[in-house]
Amino acid sequence: MSLALGCVADDYTGASDLANTLTKAGLRTIQTIGVPEDGRSLPEADAVVVALKSRSIPAEQAVARSREAEAWLRARGAAHVMFKVCSTFDSTDAGNIGPVMDALRAEAGEAIALVTPAFPETGRSVYQGNLFVGAVPLNESPLKDHPLNPMRDANLVRVLGRQSGSPVGLIDTATVARGAEAVAARLDALAEEGKGAAIADAIFDSDLEVLGRAIVGHKFSVGASGLGLGLARALVADGRGTTDAAGAAVGEPVGGTSACLAGSCSQATLQQVAAAEKIMPVLRLDPLAAIAEGLVARGVRRLVVAGGETSGAVVDRLGLTAFLLGPEIAAGVPVLRTAGRPEPMLLALKSGNFGGPDFFGRALDMMA
């Protein structure tokens, strides 16, 4: 396997979001849960996203796990490795984005890393280094109140500067508007000034394409799925891609029954649960990972899970190790087919804030 792109994601649902984005852009993508064991074969792919649960663990552990994943991807030919973070940049002043970025940038031998969590498709944009959710700065939006990593500062130059061991600069909108060469030149200039990272503005998908072209020849970057979109389009334009990358991934229908598990308390998920009560029985139970294991033991083979931490707990409890990417249910949420499991399953792993009110019913219909 020789990869066009390798990605290290700091949680499972974020990994699915990124893998979905890469697949839609034309890269055959596999999502693994953790670093695959030595000798384990995977289907041919253009990109692999290694999903870790490293967002909210001690920084030294996050660094160690991320370095292991980066080394595995480099050994499979990945010339560029992207560290995938949440589009709301969830991270305390102690990390983990800054420490992981510093470590992986050093492993790549790069003087500076381009960083952006912008993803306009999901309402995340960066302007003058400030992260916006829709029309308001992150610290004025409901998403500021993450239960583990609350975000009280929208200025990412300051946020990342408090975490990283190197100063942080800015590639502003005016520079991005001048194109990929201008971005690359600004990145080089900031490196010469001693900056170890540069927050890049991005308001439109076209900005992400500019950023992708500017850094595709570098070895390392940091961003949300939007930056993955820019990198994927740059790679496809260079002939590294596949027609209809998602078309055959889901394969034959999967038998068994279906279930939805929701562990998120976000407004989006609460609305989805309320809508689901109109079309299916709803029970309020705890703990979810044990419930998932019991459901699968009773024949459930199509499972929808809402919530990043919940998805991580469920996937780990079921011992799932890799997924093939199928069609998109909602922005950032694909159908996943298990790989390397004797009896296949279909899953959807949804970040709490993703999807419309009818998400659960729509997901089950697409997995039928």
Side-chain angles (χ1 to χ4, degrees):
M1 179 184 294
S2 182
L3 301 175
L5 179 65
C7 305
V8 179
D10 66 0
D11 84 336
Y12 292 179
T13 54
S16 293
D17 179 11
L18 175 59
N20 175 63
T21 298
L22 299 179
T23 301
K24 289 198 302 178
L27 298 181
R28 295 172 301 168
T29 306
I30 295 171
Q31 176 184 342
T32 70
I33 304 301
V35 177
E37 297 177 357
D38 289 341
R40 181 159 174 254
S41 62
L42 293 172
E44 279 299 313
D46 305 308
V48 170
V49 180
V50 178
L52 305 177
K53 287 175 61 179
S54 59
R55 183 176 299 169
S56 303
I57 64 176
E60 62 273 14
Q61 294 180 21
V63 167
R65 294 179 188 178
S66 300
R67 290 180 65 186
E68 180 187 9
E70 188 261 0
W72 186 89
L73 291 165
R74 298 285 187 198
R76 272 86 192 154
H80 188 105
V81 171
M82 174 184 154
F83 173 38
K84 196 278 178 189
V85 300
C86 182
S87 62
T88 50
F89 218 69
D90 295 346
S91 194
T92 69
D93 286 350
N96 292 339
I97 294 175
V100 173
M101 177 193 72
D102 290 347
L104 298 190
R105 184 189 65 228
E107 291 289 341
E110 293 276 12
I112 191 169
L114 184 143
V115 181
T116 187
F119 197 6
E121 181 180 346
T122 58
R124 313 293 191 267
S125 59
V126 180
Y127 176 70
Q128 296 299 323
N130 293 281
L131 178 55
F132 284 77
V133 177
V136 300
L138 172 64
N139 60 302
E140 297 178 17
S141 79
L143 300 185
K144 71 181 185 299
D145 298 318
H146 189 281
L148 297 178
N149 302 315
M151 294 295 291
R152 302 292 187 250
D153 190 352
N155 187 295
L156 300 185
V157 176
R158 289 196 299 256
V159 170
L160 189 57
R162 293 193 290 266
Q163 300 178 28
S164 174
S166 300
V168 179
L170 173 66
I171 300 174
D172 64 14
T173 298
T175 302
V176 176
R178 293 199 295 272
E181 291 185 1
V183 170
R186 175 64 173 159
L187 197 62
D188 289 343
L190 289 171
E192 290 178 3
E193 294 173 12
K195 302 292 195 295
I199 299 294
D201 283 356
I203 301 172
F204 307 107
D205 280 357
S206 57
D207 297 332
L208 300 172
E209 293 178 6
V210 168
L211 298 180
R213 292 196 302 272
I215 62 167
V216 71
H218 288 248
K219 294 182 178 180
F220 178 64
S221 62
V222 180
S225 295
L227 185 60
L229 174 66
L231 285 164
R233 288 183 176 173
L235 288 165
V236 169
D238 195 38
R240 302 290 301 273
T242 305
T243 302
D244 190 22
V250 173
E252 296 297 321
V254 171
T257 51
S258 305
C260 303
L261 295 175
S264 169
C265 294
S266 71
Q267 287 299 311
T269 298
L270 292 176
Q271 291 173 6
Q272 290 157 1
V273 171
E277 287 186 293
K278 300 175 183 178
I279 60 172
M280 65 184 79
V282 172
L283 302 175
R284 286 165 174 81
L285 304 168
D286 186 67
L288 287 164
I291 292 169
E293 186 176 42
L295 289 170
V296 171
R298 289 163 174 80
V300 168
R301 295 295 178 265
R302 299 186 298 280
L303 192 60
V304 181
V305 187
E309 293 298 321
T310 305
S311 294
V314 167
V315 167
D316 287 348
R317 186 67 172 251
L318 296 179
L320 306 179
T321 59
F323 300 109
L324 300 175
L325 275 289
E328 185 178 60
I329 302 166
V333 190
V335 175
L336 302 173
R337 185 184 181 95
T338 55
R341 192 175 189 272
E343 189 172 3
M345 290 183 64
L346 296 180
L347 290 92
L349 306 177
K350 184 189 85 70
S351 176
N353 293 303
F354 282 16
D358 64 345
F359 177 82
F360 291 125
R362 177 177 172 79
L364 292 179
D365 286 344
M366 291 186 64
M367 296 162 69

